[in-house]
Amino acid sequence: MLHTAVASRSFRRYSTYVGATLAGIFTNSVFGAIMCFVYIEVWAANPDAGGYDVTDAVTYVWLGQAMIMTVAVWGGGSPDDLAARIKSGDVVIDFYRPVGILGWYLAADLGRAAYHLLTRGLAPTLVGGLLFDLRYPADALTWLLFAIAVPLAVVVSFALRMLASLTAFWLLDDVGPRTLLGFAALFFSGLTVPLVLLPSLLRDVALALPWATFLQVPADIWLGKTTGLEVLGAYAFIVAWAVVLLGACALVLQRAERRVVVQGG
Amino acid sequence: MVDAAVAYYRIGSLWVRASMAYPASFWMMAVGSFLMTGLDFVGIWILFGNVDDLGGFSLTEIGFLYGATGLGIAFADLFVGRVERLGQMIRFGRLDTMMTKPVPLLVQVCADEFALRRFARVFQATIVFTWAATYVDWTLPRALVAVEMVVSGSLIFFSLFISLACIQFWTADSSEAANAFTYGGNTVTQFPLTVFPSEIVKALTFVVPIAFVNWYPALFILGREDPFGLPSALQLASPVAAAVMLAVSALVWRTGVRHYRSTGS
Amino acid sequence: MTLIQVTDLRRTFEVRRKEEGSRRRHRVEVEAVRDLTFEIAAGEMVGYIGPNGAGKSTTIKMLTGILVPTSGHIRVAGVDPSRNRTALARRIGVVFGQRTSLWWDLPLRDSFDLLQKIYRTDPARHRANLAEFLELLDLGELLDTPVRQLSLGQRMRGDIAAALLHDPEILYLDEPTIGLDVISKGRLREFLRSLNRERDTTLMLTTHDLQDIEALCDRVIVIDHGTQVYDGTLAGLHERGGSTRTLVVDLVDEVAPILIAGAETRRVEGPRQWLSFPADASAAPLVAALASSYDVADLSIQEPDIEDVIRELYSRPPAG
């Protein structure tokens, strides 16, 4: 109950920035359109590059635009709030709350993700659907399978962002780790280019890393590349990363609690 | 002009010193920024693993386009990129404080939180540009046009950053829309414009003259006919486009400052 | 010599407001400041007071050139602030109470050095000023401390030094004592008084604290709802507003309401009684009279509240 309240408060907090949301939708749509024209040219020259056809590729572009803010590829969301509180020393209050820090911030981030999915996820996809021929999930089950994969991906992304923010306990400034994480996420999520286009060795590595859950794995469910029992395998992959990374967060938090630094105290 | 440059240097170097308060974070950010800005080109290079040419242009020719627009936005971002945070400075009342200092407001806004990591983009673009330039058949006129291209390109992005940031004098939270034109303009011009429909190319020529950043001068330097059959005079017209854009941005900035309403009562 | 001249000054803001019964937001024009006319001579110390949202900050922002007036004229040191903002900046100092213009992560010294360079203050002059302000504001030992580690009071003193290093003719202070403890407030007032005395710096300060005014200003301008409602001495303001101070007396025993000349008992709660007396009268004879006829355990004096004074100003017909 408490966590639902935290999530919905976070959802409402983001929904007050209407101007920012509209501006973001516009920007996502522009970038989506640019990349579509490029990919159309690429797939015209090589019609089955990476096992995708041109419709798959164009759809992938818009799924990518939809996921940028939803899984917060660039960073942001509730871990940023935590980093700010670590720097200001307010984090002490979080430690004295009767609920776990991790659950609290995860709920807040899921609330944010829900808002971003409904606005900055949905709207550019609609724009993309108007401008280009897209492929939609083949049946209701595929829609459902995709819909399950997205929040799981948010959890993985949350845990990674959280780890970057937690470094602020030691570095007192988390911009550096966040920049490095942003770099890894931008490339290994498949946002720069679809992971299926990578040279084979690099592709295998990329597909095993946690960032693959951000875009490539859900996109392949949507496009019908991952079907049947393979979907369970995909879920197991995402859940395994979520568990490992959340576990790491919990460990780090425990150590941080022992050495809480109160700035300027 | 000289006074403004000196003031910029003094304020900027103080910020650089301030950022050294957190050295670990500083270095991670420097490396992260360098890697991040290079990702676009890695993406293009990976696309070329799947095709031989893109829109009729080879990898080295695209490298030249990429490097040229990269240098343009890198120099603009280096000096005035910070202007996109104008809304934040307004919200926190920092703009008020700046307005009581005897240094032109724009200089203070742009030098604010100056960071050495912004050189990462210049560095990265220089590498790609230099590499691609070794494949160009150089003549004196072409070399002169190349210099003119980088200067005009920087000034066009410079003007775009400033004019679009001024929207924040009216609505403080829609800063992201500017990215569609600045970073979006950069992304568009990383590719040969033959990839895009001719209406878009005309809009990028006559409405928002981003095509002058690299496309037209590069056609001249690479010795190519205009694929859209537009007049070849355009290939030497980048300085005109830059001058017009500068004039527009000066006008918009002045209007914005006079319209400024501060915060609070 | 007139240093600041304000004539028929008016500034409006367009705001969007939801009206009752309507779901649409309407654009409404709000007058933050209207028909403001006053002059301030060089060397004056003027308190600019009024309730929250009265238009104090808006006025200061127009005087410094931050905001462009909707209509009317301003001359500060002979120039129009919004047209010559950058040039005027060399001749004025501004301190906004709740924000700092110092570099958060760097020692105070670095901020001061930068200011010397951007104001292009003569280096010898800068050194002399710095030495003097460090001494008077008791900042010497803090020079190498990063600003983020300073207390609010220390930071405020740092900001005031920063605003004065270039020898401004006018110093604007927006709520300079807000959030400071009693000792810091006292020191700051003492410093500002000596600044005005030694250097003849013109001072204009907005404040909520009538004690700031009492300690510093010979002249008060009161603004409410954007218009000027009073311009004169503080004593005159008290007289016109009929404002009173309150003596809170804790007696040893519960007794009937105190009867004493020059004061009026307003409230009795057990052994504690509240006596009001005119704000411009001295409390000393009252206290003496009290002590001679009652067993007093403790005493304290409450200053009149700006809001109360202004409310009184309205409820009474203007005298003369």
Side-chain angles (χ1 to χ4, degrees), chain B residues 213-232:
Chain B
V213 165
N214 65 348
W215 174 248
Y216 290 112
L219 287 178
F220 179 86
I221 296 165
L222 298 172
R224 283 177 164 262
E225 291 281 307
D226 191 304
F228 297 94
L230 291 167
S232 60

Side-chain angles (χ1 to χ4, degrees), chain B residues 185-206:
Chain B
N186 174 239
T187 304
V188 164
T189 48
Q190 287 172 356
F191 299 96
L193 295 189
T194 45
V195 164
F196 304 100
S198 67
E199 298 78 33
I200 291 184
V201 177
K202 282 182 187 134
L204 292 177
T205 305
F206 300 112

